[in-house]
Amino acid sequence: MQTEVLLPLIAYLLLVFGLSVYAYTRRKQGNFLTEYFLGNRSMGGFVLAMTLTATYISASSFIGGPGAAYKFGLGWVLLAMIQLPAVWLSLGVLGKKFAILARRYNAVTLNDMLFARYQSRLLVWLASLSLLVAFLGAMTVQFIGGARLLETAAGIPYDTGLLIFGISIALYTAFGGFRASVLNDAMQGLVMLLGTILLLITVIHAAGGLHSAVDKLQQIDPKLVSVHGGDDVLSLPFMASFWILVCFGVIGLPHTAVRCISYKDSKAVHRGIVLGTIVVAVLMLGMHLAGALGRAVLPDLKIPDQVIPTLMITVLPPYAAGIFLAAPMAAIMSTINAQLLQSSATIVKDLYLGIKPEQLTNERKLKRFSSWATFVLGLLVLLAAWRPPEMIIWLNLLAFGGLEAVFLWPLVLGLYWERANATGALSSMIVGAVCYTLLASIDLHIAGLHPIVPSLLLSLLAFYVGNQFGKPPRETVLKPS
């Protein structure tokens, strides 16, 4: 075990807990659910940008993405940059209209919005179950990434690291709620920026300069410096699919959408778009380029996902490695706490209170139930992460695609198509979920496209067809009150 690496990381985790305690003491009186799951909708532009970025940038971006760049080369770095408009799309498409309606409906979760829009309890149950299943997969990826970081960089056995990481996350998220989550996101976003820039500089230096690093990649495999990547994996259909999956489709991710109903005012949205896009650009370019060029420094790694933590302990002094280990750890923690809170909000608000609405006024019981739901979910994910795959990026993209196939069209068309009704939304969700599950299970790529593309096209068609048979929505649903 490398104590010099571990001590700064422990100090960082203590700081995270400190912020959670601070967030707990700053909780405002009023509706507990709005405070615990949305922080009383009080985010400013900087915090909004950082929490959206930190939620989006996850273990896949700091561990899986650089691992893919290590394996496939500089072409994957270019591919990663197509994610650049993700924050702009999320806030631009959802943004003001989503937040105005959320305040009008007093919505705490995405499913609150869906119920207010479509007036279908069946739709809420289907959405809730889909969210929980997909989030279990997505959170498992984050737990695996955190444990691999501790295993590779600090010499802690995978199982022990998983326990330390999982219990820490579950505790601080359960204790502090949404306010703790976004405060930590703001801090973690800054840590990610600093760590990414310094790691990239040291990797280039260790490789003998940028020109030397590229020459070494070409000597290992000329395809590593090709736009098509090693193994010619980056075909045009794959790249188009990837853009839909990790950029356009992000609009339909529940943990991204809920950030769009928790900001303070329109000024926060405009500032969040600019700052968030800049931060995503720096992080995506920096981490993926470090992963690709890292092959010039570490040409023989057996597990690509270990490239970033291995580079940290190779090119940085031990204490510095411990400090910058906090950067990918921050990315992972911020994504998990967003997904944990969204999952527990689904259990408490959408399922439990859907069955027992009389408990809405029992604030003491809701507080206890919300915290326990968050903590127990964390422990379940910890068990799911006990036996990890070699490359987590594919598992993460699988979970992302499942969420997008279910939520994208009901969410976007519900906002912008006044005639959209519950039958259309249900048809879209069912067809999207079934189609994506089948195509992903048999690994079928029609015309070389990722399963998300035909799934979204068919779910859009199903929405239109189903909409012809359902009852039209109330006229007041999308009109200002």
Side-chain angles (χ1 to χ4, degrees), residues 12 53-64 138-150 165-166 169 172-173 185 188 192 308-309 325-340 392:
Y12 176 75
T53 304
T55 301
Y56 178 65
I57 305 287
S58 63
S60 184
S61 306
F62 265 78
I63 304 296
M139 288 188 290
T140 299
V141 169
Q142 312 307 320
F143 273 54
I144 292 168
R148 278 197 174 147
L149 272 176
L150 294 174
F165 184 77
I169 287 283
Y172 101 75
T173 307
D185 285 351
Q188 288 161 347
M192 282 189 273
I308 292 300
L325 182 62
M329 190 66 78
I332 295 166
M333 292 171 75
S334 55
T335 301
I336 292 178
N337 63 43
Q339 293 171 344
L340 262 181
I392 60 175

mmCIF file of all heavy atoms in Angstrom, residues 12 53-64 138-150 165-166 169 172-173 185 188 192 308-309 325-340 392:
data_model
loop_
_atom_site.group_PDB
_atom_site.id
_atom_site.type_symbol
_atom_site.label_atom_id
_atom_site.label_comp_id
_atom_site.label_asym_id
_atom_site.label_seq_id
_atom_site.Cartn_x
_atom_site.Cartn_y
_atom_site.Cartn_z
ATOM 1 N N TYR A 12 -8.762 14.431 1.111
ATOM 2 C CA TYR A 12 -9.789 14.864 0.166
ATOM 3 C C TYR A 12 -11.165 14.315 0.557
ATOM 4 O O TYR A 12 -12.175 15.046 0.541
ATOM 5 C CB TYR A 12 -9.415 14.410 -1.242
ATOM 6 C CG TYR A 12 -10.457 14.719 -2.283
ATOM 7 C CD1 TYR A 12 -10.618 16.021 -2.756
ATOM 8 C CD2 TYR A 12 -11.300 13.735 -2.776
ATOM 9 C CE1 TYR A 12 -11.584 16.318 -3.703
ATOM 10 C CE2 TYR A 12 -12.269 14.020 -3.719
ATOM 11 C CZ TYR A 12 -12.403 15.313 -4.173
ATOM 12 O OH TYR A 12 -13.364 15.598 -5.109
ATOM 13 N N THR A 53 -21.544 19.502 -15.413
ATOM 14 C CA THR A 53 -20.310 18.932 -15.954
ATOM 15 C C THR A 53 -19.849 17.742 -15.131
ATOM 16 O O THR A 53 -19.520 16.679 -15.665
ATOM 17 C CB THR A 53 -19.192 19.993 -15.985
ATOM 18 O OG1 THR A 53 -19.650 21.120 -16.732
ATOM 19 C CG2 THR A 53 -17.940 19.446 -16.624
ATOM 20 N N ALA A 54 -19.834 17.925 -13.809
ATOM 21 C CA ALA A 54 -19.352 16.855 -12.930
ATOM 22 C C ALA A 54 -20.271 15.643 -12.977
ATOM 23 O O ALA A 54 -19.818 14.500 -12.853
ATOM 24 C CB ALA A 54 -19.234 17.381 -11.498
ATOM 25 N N THR A 55 -21.574 15.884 -13.173
ATOM 26 C CA THR A 55 -22.524 14.770 -13.293
ATOM 27 C C THR A 55 -22.313 14.023 -14.606
ATOM 28 O O THR A 55 -22.376 12.800 -14.666
ATOM 29 C CB THR A 55 -23.969 15.305 -13.219
ATOM 30 O OG1 THR A 55 -24.143 15.981 -11.975
ATOM 31 C CG2 THR A 55 -24.975 14.177 -13.306
ATOM 32 N N TYR A 56 -22.051 14.775 -15.668
ATOM 33 C CA TYR A 56 -21.867 14.179 -16.994
ATOM 34 C C TYR A 56 -20.510 13.486 -17.117
ATOM 35 O O TYR A 56 -20.394 12.386 -17.653
ATOM 36 C CB TYR A 56 -22.008 15.266 -18.059
ATOM 37 C CG TYR A 56 -21.800 14.776 -19.464
ATOM 38 C CD1 TYR A 56 -22.677 13.858 -20.032
ATOM 39 C CD2 TYR A 56 -20.728 15.222 -20.234
ATOM 40 C CE1 TYR A 56 -22.493 13.398 -21.324
ATOM 41 C CE2 TYR A 56 -20.541 14.772 -21.531
ATOM 42 C CZ TYR A 56 -21.427 13.865 -22.066
ATOM 43 O OH TYR A 56 -21.238 13.401 -23.335
ATOM 44 N N ILE A 57 -19.456 14.161 -16.602
ATOM 45 C CA ILE A 57 -18.104 13.583 -16.650
ATOM 46 C C ILE A 57 -18.001 12.545 -15.544
ATOM 47 O O ILE A 57 -18.067 12.875 -14.373
ATOM 48 C CB ILE A 57 -17.025 14.664 -16.426
ATOM 49 C CG1 ILE A 57 -17.199 15.808 -17.424
ATOM 50 C CG2 ILE A 57 -15.636 14.076 -16.488
ATOM 51 C CD1 ILE A 57 -16.811 15.496 -18.826
ATOM 52 N N SER A 58 -17.839 11.297 -15.914
ATOM 53 C CA SER A 58 -17.947 10.213 -14.931
ATOM 54 C C SER A 58 -16.738 9.299 -15.011
ATOM 55 O O SER A 58 -15.706 9.632 -15.595
ATOM 56 C CB SER A 58 -19.218 9.408 -15.238
ATOM 57 O OG SER A 58 -19.107 8.818 -16.531
ATOM 58 N N ALA A 59 -16.880 8.120 -14.417
ATOM 59 C CA ALA A 59 -15.804 7.122 -14.501
ATOM 60 C C ALA A 59 -15.518 6.762 -15.949
ATOM 61 O O ALA A 59 -14.387 6.450 -16.314
ATOM 62 C CB ALA A 59 -16.198 5.863 -13.719
ATOM 63 N N SER A 60 -16.549 6.818 -16.781
ATOM 64 C CA SER A 60 -16.340 6.515 -18.196
ATOM 65 C C SER A 60 -15.430 7.545 -18.848
ATOM 66 O O SER A 60 -14.623 7.216 -19.709
ATOM 67 C CB SER A 60 -17.691 6.479 -18.913
ATOM 68 O OG SER A 60 -17.520 6.105 -20.256
ATOM 69 N N SER A 61 -15.551 8.819 -18.428
ATOM 70 C CA SER A 61 -14.746 9.883 -19.024
ATOM 71 C C SER A 61 -13.322 9.907 -18.495
ATOM 72 O O SER A 61 -12.394 10.282 -19.207
ATOM 73 C CB SER A 61 -15.405 11.246 -18.756
ATOM 74 O OG SER A 61 -16.741 11.247 -19.180
ATOM 75 N N PHE A 62 -13.128 9.517 -17.231
ATOM 76 C CA PHE A 62 -11.801 9.571 -16.623
ATOM 77 C C PHE A 62 -11.088 8.221 -16.614
ATOM 78 O O PHE A 62 -9.872 8.172 -16.468
ATOM 79 C CB PHE A 62 -11.906 10.093 -15.176
ATOM 80 C CG PHE A 62 -11.676 11.569 -15.054
ATOM 81 C CD1 PHE A 62 -12.668 12.461 -15.395
ATOM 82 C CD2 PHE A 62 -10.467 12.067 -14.618
ATOM 83 C CE1 PHE A 62 -12.469 13.819 -15.287
ATOM 84 C CE2 PHE A 62 -10.250 13.430 -14.514
ATOM 85 C CZ PHE A 62 -11.250 14.311 -14.849
ATOM 86 N N ILE A 63 -11.858 7.144 -16.711
ATOM 87 C CA ILE A 63 -11.261 5.801 -16.683
ATOM 88 C C ILE A 63 -11.518 5.080 -18.002
ATOM 89 O O ILE A 63 -10.604 4.692 -18.718
ATOM 90 C CB ILE A 63 -11.830 4.968 -15.512
ATOM 91 C CG1 ILE A 63 -11.630 5.700 -14.178
ATOM 92 C CG2 ILE A 63 -11.169 3.593 -15.469
ATOM 93 C CD1 ILE A 63 -10.197 5.901 -13.783
ATOM 94 N N GLY A 64 -12.816 4.914 -18.350
ATOM 95 C CA GLY A 64 -13.172 4.167 -19.553
ATOM 96 C C GLY A 64 -12.785 4.859 -20.842
ATOM 97 O O GLY A 64 -12.235 4.237 -21.758
ATOM 98 N N ALA A 138 -25.441 1.876 -14.380
ATOM 99 C CA ALA A 138 -24.581 3.059 -14.492
ATOM 100 C C ALA A 138 -23.776 3.291 -13.221
ATOM 101 O O ALA A 138 -22.587 3.636 -13.270
ATOM 102 C CB ALA A 138 -25.443 4.287 -14.804
ATOM 103 N N MET A 139 -24.410 3.118 -12.058
ATOM 104 C CA MET A 139 -23.694 3.330 -10.795
ATOM 105 C C MET A 139 -22.667 2.227 -10.537
ATOM 106 O O MET A 139 -21.624 2.478 -9.938
ATOM 107 C CB MET A 139 -24.688 3.414 -9.631
ATOM 108 C CG MET A 139 -25.492 4.703 -9.631
ATOM 109 S SD MET A 139 -26.507 4.933 -8.141
ATOM 110 C CE MET A 139 -27.763 3.680 -8.363
ATOM 111 N N THR A 140 -22.956 1.023 -11.028
ATOM 112 C CA THR A 140 -21.984 -0.063 -10.893
ATOM 113 C C THR A 140 -20.679 0.304 -11.603
ATOM 114 O O THR A 140 -19.583 0.051 -11.094
ATOM 115 C CB THR A 140 -22.559 -1.370 -11.483
ATOM 116 O OG1 THR A 140 -23.739 -1.720 -10.757
ATOM 117 C CG2 THR A 140 -21.556 -2.504 -11.385
ATOM 118 N N VAL A 141 -20.806 0.943 -12.776
ATOM 119 C CA VAL A 141 -19.624 1.401 -13.520
ATOM 120 C C VAL A 141 -18.796 2.364 -12.679
ATOM 121 O O VAL A 141 -17.567 2.279 -12.616
ATOM 122 C CB VAL A 141 -20.060 2.078 -14.840
ATOM 123 C CG1 VAL A 141 -18.882 2.786 -15.498
ATOM 124 C CG2 VAL A 141 -20.649 1.053 -15.791
ATOM 125 N N GLN A 142 -19.468 3.296 -12.021
ATOM 126 C CA GLN A 142 -18.755 4.287 -11.211
ATOM 127 C C GLN A 142 -18.044 3.631 -10.032
ATOM 128 O O GLN A 142 -16.905 3.981 -9.694
ATOM 129 C CB GLN A 142 -19.728 5.358 -10.702
ATOM 130 C CG GLN A 142 -20.655 5.958 -11.743
ATOM 131 C CD GLN A 142 -19.927 6.500 -12.948
ATOM 132 O OE1 GLN A 142 -18.869 7.104 -12.837
ATOM 133 N NE2 GLN A 142 -20.487 6.284 -14.125
ATOM 134 N N PHE A 143 -18.695 2.684 -9.390
ATOM 135 C CA PHE A 143 -18.070 1.987 -8.258
ATOM 136 C C PHE A 143 -16.839 1.202 -8.711
ATOM 137 O O PHE A 143 -15.814 1.192 -8.027
ATOM 138 C CB PHE A 143 -19.084 1.045 -7.592
ATOM 139 C CG PHE A 143 -19.930 1.709 -6.542
ATOM 140 C CD1 PHE A 143 -20.644 2.864 -6.837
ATOM 141 C CD2 PHE A 143 -20.029 1.192 -5.265
ATOM 142 C CE1 PHE A 143 -21.427 3.490 -5.878
ATOM 143 C CE2 PHE A 143 -20.797 1.809 -4.294
ATOM 144 C CZ PHE A 143 -21.510 2.966 -4.603
ATOM 145 N N ILE A 144 -16.956 0.557 -9.871
ATOM 146 C CA ILE A 144 -15.811 -0.191 -10.408
ATOM 147 C C ILE A 144 -14.659 0.766 -10.680
ATOM 148 O O ILE A 144 -13.500 0.487 -10.342
ATOM 149 C CB ILE A 144 -16.211 -0.933 -11.710
ATOM 150 C CG1 ILE A 144 -17.210 -2.048 -11.404
ATOM 151 C CG2 ILE A 144 -14.973 -1.516 -12.403
ATOM 152 C CD1 ILE A 144 -17.866 -2.634 -12.645
ATOM 153 N N GLY A 145 -14.979 1.915 -11.284
ATOM 154 C CA GLY A 145 -13.940 2.902 -11.584
ATOM 155 C C GLY A 145 -13.245 3.394 -10.329
ATOM 156 O O GLY A 145 -12.015 3.521 -10.292
ATOM 157 N N GLY A 146 -14.008 3.687 -9.280
ATOM 158 C CA GLY A 146 -13.414 4.151 -8.029
ATOM 159 C C GLY A 146 -12.515 3.100 -7.389
ATOM 160 O O GLY A 146 -11.410 3.401 -6.916
ATOM 161 N N ALA A 147 -12.971 1.856 -7.387
ATOM 162 C CA ALA A 147 -12.167 0.783 -6.790
ATOM 163 C C ALA A 147 -10.896 0.525 -7.596
ATOM 164 O O ALA A 147 -9.836 0.252 -7.025
ATOM 165 C CB ALA A 147 -13.009 -0.495 -6.702
ATOM 166 N N ARG A 148 -10.987 0.630 -8.925
ATOM 167 C CA ARG A 148 -9.792 0.434 -9.764
ATOM 168 C C ARG A 148 -8.771 1.542 -9.548
ATOM 169 O O ARG A 148 -7.558 1.315 -9.613
ATOM 170 C CB ARG A 148 -10.197 0.357 -11.234
ATOM 171 C CG ARG A 148 -10.695 -1.027 -11.617
ATOM 172 C CD ARG A 148 -10.698 -1.230 -13.112
ATOM 173 N NE ARG A 148 -11.049 -2.605 -13.439
ATOM 174 C CZ ARG A 148 -11.727 -2.972 -14.509
ATOM 175 N NH1 ARG A 148 -12.124 -2.055 -15.355
ATOM 176 N NH2 ARG A 148 -11.991 -4.229 -14.745
ATOM 177 N N LEU A 149 -9.266 2.754 -9.322
ATOM 178 C CA LEU A 149 -8.348 3.852 -9.010
ATOM 179 C C LEU A 149 -7.547 3.539 -7.754
ATOM 180 O O LEU A 149 -6.326 3.695 -7.717
ATOM 181 C CB LEU A 149 -9.142 5.147 -8.790
ATOM 182 C CG LEU A 149 -9.441 6.012 -10.011
ATOM 183 C CD1 LEU A 149 -10.312 7.181 -9.591
ATOM 184 C CD2 LEU A 149 -8.164 6.516 -10.645
ATOM 185 N N LEU A 150 -8.244 3.134 -6.701
ATOM 186 C CA LEU A 150 -7.569 2.831 -5.438
ATOM 187 C C LEU A 150 -6.634 1.623 -5.583
ATOM 188 O O LEU A 150 -5.546 1.594 -5.016
ATOM 189 C CB LEU A 150 -8.605 2.564 -4.342
ATOM 190 C CG LEU A 150 -9.466 3.774 -3.945
ATOM 191 C CD1 LEU A 150 -10.544 3.350 -2.950
ATOM 192 C CD2 LEU A 150 -8.609 4.874 -3.342
ATOM 193 N N PHE A 165 -14.662 2.935 -0.936
ATOM 194 C CA PHE A 165 -15.263 3.893 -1.860
ATOM 195 C C PHE A 165 -16.790 3.875 -1.768
ATOM 196 O O PHE A 165 -17.438 4.921 -1.634
ATOM 197 C CB PHE A 165 -14.814 3.565 -3.282
ATOM 198 C CG PHE A 165 -15.301 4.539 -4.306
ATOM 199 C CD1 PHE A 165 -14.705 5.778 -4.442
ATOM 200 C CD2 PHE A 165 -16.360 4.216 -5.139
ATOM 201 C CE1 PHE A 165 -15.155 6.685 -5.388
ATOM 202 C CE2 PHE A 165 -16.818 5.108 -6.086
ATOM 203 C CZ PHE A 165 -16.207 6.351 -6.208
ATOM 204 N N GLY A 166 -17.358 2.675 -1.804
ATOM 205 C CA GLY A 166 -18.811 2.548 -1.826
ATOM 206 C C GLY A 166 -19.473 3.066 -0.560
ATOM 207 O O GLY A 166 -20.462 3.797 -0.614
ATOM 208 N N ILE A 169 -19.276 6.980 -0.366
ATOM 209 C CA ILE A 169 -20.255 7.628 -1.250
ATOM 210 C C ILE A 169 -21.663 7.527 -0.683
ATOM 211 O O ILE A 169 -22.409 8.511 -0.620
ATOM 212 C CB ILE A 169 -20.223 6.967 -2.644
ATOM 213 C CG1 ILE A 169 -18.968 7.371 -3.396
ATOM 214 C CG2 ILE A 169 -21.447 7.355 -3.454
ATOM 215 C CD1 ILE A 169 -19.013 8.758 -3.969
ATOM 216 N N TYR A 172 -22.070 9.911 2.492
ATOM 217 C CA TYR A 172 -22.112 11.364 2.347
ATOM 218 C C TYR A 172 -23.304 11.818 1.508
ATOM 219 O O TYR A 172 -23.874 12.881 1.739
ATOM 220 C CB TYR A 172 -20.772 11.912 1.837
ATOM 221 C CG TYR A 172 -20.645 12.263 0.374
ATOM 222 C CD1 TYR A 172 -21.226 13.405 -0.150
ATOM 223 C CD2 TYR A 172 -19.873 11.473 -0.484
ATOM 224 C CE1 TYR A 172 -21.074 13.748 -1.481
ATOM 225 C CE2 TYR A 172 -19.712 11.819 -1.817
ATOM 226 C CZ TYR A 172 -20.324 12.955 -2.305
ATOM 227 O OH TYR A 172 -20.164 13.292 -3.627
ATOM 228 N N THR A 173 -23.734 10.995 0.544
ATOM 229 C CA THR A 173 -24.904 11.373 -0.244
ATOM 230 C C THR A 173 -26.181 11.245 0.591
ATOM 231 O O THR A 173 -27.053 12.113 0.562
ATOM 232 C CB THR A 173 -25.019 10.500 -1.508
ATOM 233 O OG1 THR A 173 -23.788 10.539 -2.216
ATOM 234 C CG2 THR A 173 -26.128 11.005 -2.422
ATOM 235 N N ASP A 185 -19.923 18.896 -6.133
ATOM 236 C CA ASP A 185 -19.709 18.961 -7.575
ATOM 237 C C ASP A 185 -18.893 20.188 -7.960
ATOM 238 O O ASP A 185 -18.020 20.132 -8.833
ATOM 239 C CB ASP A 185 -21.050 19.012 -8.322
ATOM 240 C CG ASP A 185 -21.744 17.661 -8.359
ATOM 241 O OD1 ASP A 185 -21.116 16.674 -7.954
ATOM 242 O OD2 ASP A 185 -22.901 17.612 -8.788
ATOM 243 N N GLN A 188 -15.405 19.533 -6.895
ATOM 244 C CA GLN A 188 -14.840 18.449 -7.689
ATOM 245 C C GLN A 188 -14.588 18.875 -9.131
ATOM 246 O O GLN A 188 -13.634 18.423 -9.766
ATOM 247 C CB GLN A 188 -15.780 17.237 -7.618
ATOM 248 C CG GLN A 188 -15.740 16.579 -6.243
ATOM 249 C CD GLN A 188 -16.951 15.701 -5.957
ATOM 250 O OE1 GLN A 188 -17.947 15.754 -6.666
ATOM 251 N NE2 GLN A 188 -16.876 14.900 -4.913
ATOM 252 N N MET A 192 -11.066 18.480 -10.918
ATOM 253 C CA MET A 192 -10.933 17.795 -12.204
ATOM 254 C C MET A 192 -10.176 18.644 -13.220
ATOM 255 O O MET A 192 -9.320 18.141 -13.948
ATOM 256 C CB MET A 192 -12.321 17.449 -12.755
ATOM 257 C CG MET A 192 -12.976 16.247 -12.114
ATOM 258 S SD MET A 192 -14.469 15.758 -13.011
ATOM 259 C CE MET A 192 -15.690 16.783 -12.241
ATOM 260 N N ILE A 308 -4.989 5.783 -16.710
ATOM 261 C CA ILE A 308 -4.904 7.059 -15.991
ATOM 262 C C ILE A 308 -4.315 6.891 -14.593
ATOM 263 O O ILE A 308 -3.356 7.593 -14.233
ATOM 264 C CB ILE A 308 -6.275 7.761 -15.946
ATOM 265 C CG1 ILE A 308 -6.672 8.210 -17.352
ATOM 266 C CG2 ILE A 308 -6.252 8.966 -14.995
ATOM 267 C CD1 ILE A 308 -5.713 9.194 -18.007
ATOM 268 N N PRO A 309 -4.815 5.967 -13.760
ATOM 269 C CA PRO A 309 -4.176 5.812 -12.444
ATOM 270 C C PRO A 309 -2.720 5.362 -12.535
ATOM 271 O O PRO A 309 -1.882 5.778 -11.730
ATOM 272 C CB PRO A 309 -5.049 4.770 -11.724
ATOM 273 C CG PRO A 309 -5.902 4.151 -12.775
ATOM 274 C CD PRO A 309 -6.049 5.152 -13.854
ATOM 275 N N LEU A 325 -5.016 12.173 -7.907
ATOM 276 C CA LEU A 325 -5.921 11.026 -7.918
ATOM 277 C C LEU A 325 -7.340 11.486 -7.572
ATOM 278 O O LEU A 325 -8.323 10.866 -7.968
ATOM 279 C CB LEU A 325 -5.445 9.980 -6.911
ATOM 280 C CG LEU A 325 -6.227 8.678 -6.801
ATOM 281 C CD1 LEU A 325 -6.187 7.931 -8.124
ATOM 282 C CD2 LEU A 325 -5.660 7.810 -5.685
ATOM 283 N N ALA A 326 -7.401 12.611 -6.844
ATOM 284 C CA ALA A 326 -8.711 13.169 -6.486
ATOM 285 C C ALA A 326 -9.495 13.627 -7.714
ATOM 286 O O ALA A 326 -10.721 13.739 -7.654
ATOM 287 C CB ALA A 326 -8.531 14.342 -5.523
ATOM 288 N N ALA A 327 -8.823 13.908 -8.845
ATOM 289 C CA ALA A 327 -9.535 14.398 -10.040
ATOM 290 C C ALA A 327 -10.477 13.338 -10.624
ATOM 291 O O ALA A 327 -11.689 13.565 -10.723
ATOM 292 C CB ALA A 327 -8.543 14.879 -11.087
ATOM 293 N N PRO A 328 -9.967 12.151 -11.015
ATOM 294 C CA PRO A 328 -10.915 11.134 -11.475
ATOM 295 C C PRO A 328 -11.840 10.658 -10.359
ATOM 296 O O PRO A 328 -12.999 10.318 -10.611
ATOM 297 C CB PRO A 328 -10.012 9.989 -11.971
ATOM 298 C CG PRO A 328 -8.686 10.241 -11.369
ATOM 299 C CD PRO A 328 -8.566 11.717 -11.201
ATOM 300 N N MET A 329 -11.346 10.647 -9.106
ATOM 301 C CA MET A 329 -12.211 10.274 -7.993
ATOM 302 C C MET A 329 -13.378 11.257 -7.879
ATOM 303 O O MET A 329 -14.518 10.880 -7.609
ATOM 304 C CB MET A 329 -11.406 10.263 -6.689
ATOM 305 C CG MET A 329 -12.154 9.650 -5.519
ATOM 306 S SD MET A 329 -12.460 7.891 -5.733
ATOM 307 C CE MET A 329 -10.855 7.212 -5.334
ATOM 308 N N ALA A 330 -13.070 12.551 -8.099
ATOM 309 C CA ALA A 330 -14.121 13.578 -8.050
ATOM 310 C C ALA A 330 -15.165 13.339 -9.133
ATOM 311 O O ALA A 330 -16.375 13.468 -8.898
ATOM 312 C CB ALA A 330 -13.494 14.962 -8.222
ATOM 313 N N ALA A 331 -14.704 12.992 -10.337
ATOM 314 C CA ALA A 331 -15.638 12.743 -11.443
ATOM 315 C C ALA A 331 -16.576 11.587 -11.110
ATOM 316 O O ALA A 331 -17.782 11.644 -11.367
ATOM 317 C CB ALA A 331 -14.848 12.424 -12.715
ATOM 318 N N ILE A 332 -16.014 10.556 -10.537
ATOM 319 C CA ILE A 332 -16.807 9.372 -10.212
ATOM 320 C C ILE A 332 -17.801 9.671 -9.095
ATOM 321 O O ILE A 332 -18.992 9.355 -9.180
ATOM 322 C CB ILE A 332 -15.864 8.216 -9.812
ATOM 323 C CG1 ILE A 332 -15.017 7.814 -11.022
ATOM 324 C CG2 ILE A 332 -16.656 7.026 -9.305
ATOM 325 C CD1 ILE A 332 -13.839 6.933 -10.666
ATOM 326 N N MET A 333 -17.313 10.325 -8.029
ATOM 327 C CA MET A 333 -18.164 10.607 -6.877
ATOM 328 C C MET A 333 -19.327 11.511 -7.253
ATOM 329 O O MET A 333 -20.463 11.309 -6.811
ATOM 330 C CB MET A 333 -17.336 11.236 -5.757
ATOM 331 C CG MET A 333 -16.334 10.276 -5.136
ATOM 332 S SD MET A 333 -15.195 11.089 -3.999
ATOM 333 C CE MET A 333 -16.255 11.355 -2.593
ATOM 334 N N SER A 334 -19.065 12.532 -8.072
ATOM 335 C CA SER A 334 -20.123 13.482 -8.417
ATOM 336 C C SER A 334 -21.206 12.822 -9.271
ATOM 337 O O SER A 334 -22.391 13.141 -9.146
ATOM 338 C CB SER A 334 -19.537 14.689 -9.146
ATOM 339 O OG SER A 334 -18.808 14.280 -10.278
ATOM 340 N N THR A 335 -20.801 11.900 -10.148
ATOM 341 C CA THR A 335 -21.795 11.200 -10.967
ATOM 342 C C THR A 335 -22.627 10.256 -10.112
ATOM 343 O O THR A 335 -23.850 10.183 -10.242
ATOM 344 C CB THR A 335 -21.103 10.423 -12.097
ATOM 345 O OG1 THR A 335 -20.369 11.341 -12.894
ATOM 346 C CG2 THR A 335 -22.124 9.694 -12.967
ATOM 347 N N ILE A 336 -21.960 9.537 -9.201
ATOM 348 C CA ILE A 336 -22.697 8.595 -8.357
ATOM 349 C C ILE A 336 -23.697 9.319 -7.470
ATOM 350 O O ILE A 336 -24.841 8.884 -7.324
ATOM 351 C CB ILE A 336 -21.745 7.773 -7.466
ATOM 352 C CG1 ILE A 336 -20.906 6.838 -8.320
ATOM 353 C CG2 ILE A 336 -22.531 6.945 -6.463
ATOM 354 C CD1 ILE A 336 -19.916 6.041 -7.526
ATOM 355 N N ASN A 337 -23.271 10.433 -6.843
ATOM 356 C CA ASN A 337 -24.217 11.058 -5.927
ATOM 357 C C ASN A 337 -25.443 11.591 -6.672
ATOM 358 O O ASN A 337 -26.552 11.576 -6.150
ATOM 359 C CB ASN A 337 -23.558 12.120 -5.035
ATOM 360 C CG ASN A 337 -22.986 13.303 -5.774
ATOM 361 O OD1 ASN A 337 -23.587 13.844 -6.681
ATOM 362 N ND2 ASN A 337 -21.800 13.729 -5.360
ATOM 363 N N ALA A 338 -25.252 12.049 -7.922
ATOM 364 C CA ALA A 338 -26.405 12.489 -8.714
ATOM 365 C C ALA A 338 -27.337 11.318 -9.013
ATOM 366 O O ALA A 338 -28.566 11.417 -8.876
ATOM 367 C CB ALA A 338 -25.926 13.119 -10.015
ATOM 368 N N GLN A 339 -26.753 10.183 -9.399
ATOM 369 C CA GLN A 339 -27.564 9.025 -9.744
ATOM 370 C C GLN A 339 -28.197 8.387 -8.511
ATOM 371 O O GLN A 339 -29.348 7.928 -8.551
ATOM 372 C CB GLN A 339 -26.709 8.016 -10.505
ATOM 373 C CG GLN A 339 -26.271 8.527 -11.862
ATOM 374 C CD GLN A 339 -25.249 7.632 -12.546
ATOM 375 O OE1 GLN A 339 -24.624 6.781 -11.922
ATOM 376 N NE2 GLN A 339 -25.076 7.823 -13.843
ATOM 377 N N LEU A 340 -27.470 8.385 -7.397
ATOM 378 C CA LEU A 340 -28.027 7.857 -6.150
ATOM 379 C C LEU A 340 -29.228 8.684 -5.699
ATOM 380 O O LEU A 340 -30.266 8.140 -5.300
ATOM 381 C CB LEU A 340 -26.962 7.864 -5.053
ATOM 382 C CG LEU A 340 -26.200 6.574 -4.763
ATOM 383 C CD1 LEU A 340 -25.208 6.798 -3.631
ATOM 384 C CD2 LEU A 340 -27.143 5.425 -4.433
ATOM 385 N N ILE A 392 -14.893 -0.758 -18.683
ATOM 386 C CA ILE A 392 -16.184 -0.331 -18.159
ATOM 387 C C ILE A 392 -16.941 0.587 -19.109
ATOM 388 O O ILE A 392 -18.137 0.802 -18.932
ATOM 389 C CB ILE A 392 -16.027 0.375 -16.799
ATOM 390 C CG1 ILE A 392 -15.140 1.629 -16.924
ATOM 391 C CG2 ILE A 392 -15.497 -0.577 -15.764
ATOM 392 C CD1 ILE A 392 -15.046 2.444 -15.651
#
